[in-house]
C-alpha cells in the first residue's frame, strides 16, 4: 500500500523514527506486537518492526538504525523526507507474543523495536514482565524516554554487559523469554540449559558456514536443477524461469517460503521456529540449503 511519511525524528545516535499514514487518513490494517512491514526503498526491500500502538489504526511507526557497513537500505530510509510516498507491504508477524504467566524481554540495540509493543501489552494486561535493554551507550539506545518504569538499562560503556546466564537461570517454565538483538546475544539466550526455547528475532540470516553444492527437484515437472555453492536456490529457480515470490533475499521476511516434499533442508532463515525447522517441510529458498537433493513443492 502507498503510505505517506508524516513525521521523522532522530531518537538516538544514527536512529530515525518514521511515522507513516495513509494519504486519505483511512485506517491501516490491524497488527499485533512482534509484527513487521516490508518497506520498498527503490530496488531494495527491507523489513522493519512496527513499534507504535496497535490500537492506533491511523499511524505506523518504524525505527531505523543507519548501518554504515550495510547494503544501502538504511541509508535510503534515513534519506526519506516528510511528505514522501513510501510503498509498504504487510504487516506480517513471525515473532508473535504468546500467552504466558510472566515475560522476560531482552533487547540489544535496535532490537528494542519489536520488544517495546510487547512490554506495553504485558503491562496493560497486568502480566508480570522484566525488560533488560542493552546498548553500546545511553545516547545510542532508542526510545529511552518512552520506556515504562522498571526497565533495566545496560549501557555497556557505563555498566558493562548484563550477566545473561545468571538472568536466565532464574526463569521457570511459566516465563516466556523474548529476545531481539545481535547474534552474540541471541546465542547466549538460546543456550540456556533448561526451560522452553526462547523466542528470538534476528537482524539477518543465520551464518551458512562453508556452503556446498546440492540439487533441487521440482515436483510438478521432475526437473532437477543443480545449486552451486555460490548461488542460492532462489537464484537457480529464477534462472530456470520458475516464478517464486520473494522480498528480502536475506531470510528475514518469509515471503519465499516453499514446501519441501523430500530431503533434509539446512535452515538459515530467521523466520521459522525450532519446531518448524525440525519438521523440515518448508524452507526459505533465498538462504537455506541442503547437503543432498531436495524435492520442492513447485
Amino acid at each position: 500500500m502507498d503510505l505517506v511519511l508524516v513525521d521523522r525524528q532522530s531518537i538516538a545516535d544514527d536512529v530515525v523514527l518514521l511515522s507513516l499514514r495513509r494519504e486519505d487518513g483511512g485506517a491501516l490494517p490491524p497488527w499485533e506486537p512482534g509484527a513487521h512491514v516490508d518497506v520498498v526503498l527503490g530496488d531494495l526491500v527491507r523489513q522493519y518492526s512496527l513499534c507504535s500502538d496497535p490500537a492506533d489504526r491511523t499511524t505506523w511507526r518504524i525505527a531505523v538504525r543507519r548501518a554504515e557497513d550495510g547494503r544501502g537500505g538504511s541509508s535510503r530510509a534515513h534519506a526519506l523526507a516528510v511528505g514522501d510516498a513510501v510503498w509498504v507491504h504487510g504487516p506480517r508477524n513471525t515473532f508473535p507474543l504468546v500467552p504466558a504467566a510472566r515475560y522476560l524481554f531482552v533487547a540489544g540495540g535496535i532490537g528494542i523495536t519489536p520488544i517495546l509493543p510487547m512490554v506495553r501489552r504485558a503491562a496493560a494486561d497486568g502480566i508480570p514482565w522484566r525488560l533488560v535493554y542493552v546498548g553500546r551507550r545511553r545516547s545510542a539506545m532508542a526510545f529511552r524516554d518512552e520506556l515504562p518504569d522498571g526497565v533495566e538499562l545496560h549501557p555497556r560503556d557505563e555498566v558493562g554487559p548484563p550477566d545473561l546466564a545468571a538472568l536466565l537461570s532464574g526463569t521457570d517454565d511459566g516465563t516466556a523469554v523474548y529476545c531481539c538483538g545481535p547474534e552474540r546475544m541471541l546465542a547466549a539466550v538460546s543456550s540456556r540449559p533448561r526451560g522452553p526455547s526462547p523466542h528470538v528475532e534476528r537482524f539477518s540470516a543465520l551464518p551458512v558456514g562453508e556452503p556446498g553444492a546440492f540439487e533441487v527437484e521440482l515436483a510438478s515437472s521432475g526437473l532437477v536443477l543443480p545449486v552451486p555453492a555460490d548461488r542460492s536456490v532462489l537464484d537457480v529457480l529464477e534462472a530456470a524461469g520458475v516464478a517464486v515470490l520473494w522480498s528480502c533475499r536475506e531470510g528475514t521476511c518469509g515471503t519465499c517460503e516453499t514446501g519441501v516434499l523430500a530431503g533434509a533442508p539446512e535452515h538459515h532463515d530467521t523466520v521459522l521456529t525450532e519446531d518448524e525447522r525440525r519438521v523440515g517441510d518448508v524452507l526459505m529458498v533465498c538462504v537455506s540449503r541442503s547437503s543432498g537433493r531436495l524435492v520442492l513443492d513447485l
Side-chain angles (χ1 to χ4, degrees):
M1 79 191 81
D2 202 3
L3 303 183
V4 176
L5 181 64
V6 296
D7 188 48
R8 69 186 311 278
Q9 303 175 47
S10 176
I11 59 170
D13 296 347
D14 296 322
V15 179
V16 64
L17 179 65
L18 305 177
S19 298
L20 303 163
R21 292 180 183 169
R22 284 178 45 171
E23 188 170 12
D24 62 5
L28 294 166
W31 61 280
E32 290 293 318
H36 71 266
V37 291
D38 302 331
V39 180
V40 179
L41 299 162
D43 59 344
L44 301 176
V45 180
R46 294 291 182 265
Q47 289 69 46
Y48 298 111
S49 297
L50 292 171
C51 52
S52 43
D53 181 356
D56 182 359
R57 297 286 300 279
T58 66
T59 306
W60 282 347
R61 299 194 314 170
I62 59 173
V64 182
R65 180 182 298 281
R66 188 195 304 274
E68 297 297 341
D69 57 349
R71 297 190 297 168
S74 64
S75 295
R76 294 185 187 184
H78 274 244
L80 292 171
V82 171
D84 284 349
V86 183
W87 190 260
V88 178
H89 300 282
R92 286 179 291 145
N93 200 340
T94 58
F95 191 44
L97 185 66
V98 301
R102 291 166 298 281
Y103 294 103
L104 170 62
F105 301 107
V106 183
I110 199 63
I112 189 64
T113 51
I115 297 294
L116 185 58
M118 295 182 178
V119 172
R120 290 173 175 155
R121 174 65 59 82
D125 291 345
I127 301 173
W129 58 271
R130 182 182 182 186
L131 169 58
V132 177
Y133 180 16
V134 184
R136 291 171 294 170
R137 55 188 177 276
R138 194 174 295 269
S139 63
M141 300 174 74
F143 301 110
R144 297 186 311 279
D145 299 333
E146 295 188 22
L147 297 173
D149 293 338
V151 173
E152 302 171 35
L153 293 181
H154 287 262
R156 290 197 301 271
D157 65 337
E158 297 178 24
V159 299
D163 186 342
L164 292 179
L167 177 69
L168 294 166
S169 67
T171 59
D172 56 25
D173 290 350
T175 302
V177 178
Y178 278 78
C179 181
C180 183
E183 188 60 37
R184 181 178 300 178
M185 172 182 285
L186 299 183
V189 170
S190 298
S191 64
R192 70 173 185 161
R194 298 184 306 276
S197 297
H199 305 267
V200 301
E201 182 164 73
R202 289 176 163 83
F203 299 148
S204 60
L206 293 169
V208 176
E210 290 295 331
F214 61 103
E215 295 177 334
V216 293
E217 178 182 338
L218 310 188
S220 63
S221 64
L223 177 65
V224 175
L225 300 171
V227 182
D230 61 347
R231 302 187 72 194
S232 69
V233 177
L234 178 57
D235 292 336
V236 170
L237 292 173
E238 288 184 324
V242 180
V244 178
L245 291 176
W246 61 270
S247 177
C248 71
R249 301 188 88 101
E250 295 182 333
T252 60
C253 74
T255 302
C256 69
E257 179 178 311
T258 301
V260 177
L261 302 180
E266 296 174 357
H267 300 289
H268 299 283
D269 64 274
T270 65
V271 177
L272 298 176
T273 66
E274 289 304 317
D275 287 342
E276 290 170 331
R277 294 173 191 275
R278 282 190 287 270
V279 172
D281 60 353
V282 296
L283 87 164
M284 306 303 154
V285 293
C286 66
V287 293
S288 295
R289 308 188 67 81
S290 180
S291 58
R293 179 179 294 189
L294 295 175
V295 180
L296 303 182
D297 189 14
L298 290 172

